[in-house]
Amino acid sequence: MSTTTPLLLLLIEDELPIRRFLRTSLAGEGYRLVEADTGQLAVRLAVQQPPDLVILDLGLPDVDGQDILRQLREWLHAPIIILSARDQEQQKVTALDSGADDYLTKPFSTGELLARIRVALRHVARASGDRESSVFVLSDLKVDLAARRVFVQDAEIHLTPLEYKLLTTLVRHAGKVLTHRFLLKEVWGPHQVQETHYLRVFMAGLRRKIEDDPAQPRYLLTEQGVGYRLAAD
């Protein structure tokens, strides 16, 4: 009888107490873990044995974590979750635009980190499947990508072409934070990446059509100052 090899996570963190804490938490969830306390060691470990997911602290002693992120993204396709004390919005935007899949600010809860890990791994599994399902379902929301139809509580919702493109961009990256710049480029094109008011207007319209309470959205979530995320659970 064959057994499934536990997924390998690379933790890049220079604070020993946090490494010890995460070592226990992640092992308890069945993950294998390798640890690096410097950026240079992290890159060597990633090359020697490419991980299934990376948890990266930006405040490393030898090199800025943003540089390590960019180095890894040149060849590593695994999800990268940033874990950092830097809570400035621009740091988050820079990391996400450089290829990070998610961003958690210290202090953080183990439950939230584990949930973000599960979402990132599910996104990879869905994207790398033989054929991505043409129907996305999340609670009462259903998006039929093949038929280009959207339903809420089994009632069809009529979207404009731009609203539909915005929604399906979020669907294809469900659970992942998408920056304003990324969404503007994907939906409106590379020459409109500064026009964030377009995004606000269309997101508000989309919420009015999809959410029960647009002021308290369940599906289309705001990442303040950074972008938007389509809920994945």
Side-chain angles (χ1 to χ4, degrees), residues 85-230:
R86 303 179 188 176
D87 62 355
Q88 300 98 326
E89 290 173 356
Q90 189 53 50
Q91 288 283 347
K92 297 179 183 180
V93 171
T94 299
L96 292 163
D97 278 341
S98 296
D101 292 78
D102 212 336
Y103 196 114
L104 274 177
T105 303
K106 298 177 182 177
F108 60 93
S109 72
T110 308
E112 184 174 12
L113 175 60
L114 291 172
R116 300 286 182 93
I117 289 172
R118 289 192 295 270
V119 167
L121 291 171
R122 276 204 304 273
H123 183 259
V124 169
R126 188 165 59 239
S128 63
D130 292 336
R131 182 176 63 87
E132 184 175 347
S133 171
S134 63
V135 179
F136 174 86
V137 179
L138 177 64
S139 188
D140 293 327
L141 173 64
K142 183 172 79 171
V143 182
D144 187 330
L145 297 167
R148 298 178 63 86
R149 300 173 73 188
V150 178
F151 301 85
V152 176
Q153 296 180 351
D154 296 323
E156 186 165 5
I157 304 299
H158 297 283
L159 303 180
T160 68
L162 280 173
E163 286 173 341
Y164 180 79
K165 192 171 183 182
L166 177 58
L167 178 61
T168 54
T169 301
L170 288 157
V171 162
R172 294 182 196 280
H173 299 274
K176 181 175 178 178
V177 180
L178 302 181
T179 64
H180 299 128
R181 183 182 182 87
F182 178 87
L183 286 166
L184 285 162
K185 181 167 65 70
E186 290 294 307
V187 178
W188 282 271
H191 301 298
Q192 307 295 335
V193 294
Q194 304 300 325
E195 307 296 338
T196 55
H197 62 284
Y198 289 173
L199 196 49
R200 287 195 299 272
V201 169
F202 277 83
M203 186 61 72
L206 203 50
R207 281 175 169 158
R208 283 194 295 271
K209 293 181 179 181
I210 287 175
E211 303 282 2
D212 290 336
D213 180 1
Q216 300 288 330
R218 296 170 55 201
Y219 306 118
L220 304 170
L221 308 179
T222 298
E223 295 288 335
Q224 195 62 42
V226 177
Y228 298 95
R229 177 205 304 265
L230 179 67

Side-chain angles (χ1 to χ4, degrees), residues 2-90:
S2 63
T3 58
T4 303
T5 302
L7 296 174
L8 177 66
L9 274 53
L10 171 59
L11 173 61
I12 309 170
E13 167 65 66
D14 66 321
E15 295 185 48
L16 182 57
I18 293 180
R19 289 208 311 276
R20 285 175 174 161
F21 172 66
L22 290 178
R23 186 185 306 151
T24 302
S25 302
L26 295 170
E29 294 294 316
Y31 296 115
R32 291 183 297 144
L33 188 67
V34 291
E35 303 171 26
D37 57 2
T38 67
Q40 291 183 355
L41 175 59
V43 172
R44 288 202 303 273
L45 291 174
V47 171
Q48 290 168 8
Q49 191 174 12
D52 296 296
L53 181 140
V54 175
I55 301 170
L56 170 62
D57 178 22
L58 293 183
L60 298 173
D62 60 334
V63 63
D64 192 288
Q66 298 276 14
D67 292 331
I68 297 300
L69 169 62
R70 285 186 283 270
Q71 286 184 48
L72 291 175
R73 265 294 167 255
E74 289 177 0
W75 60 275
L76 183 69
H77 298 293
I80 299 176
I81 296 177
I82 301 298
L83 193 63
S84 180
R86 303 179 188 176
D87 62 355
Q88 300 98 326
E89 290 173 356
Q90 189 53 50

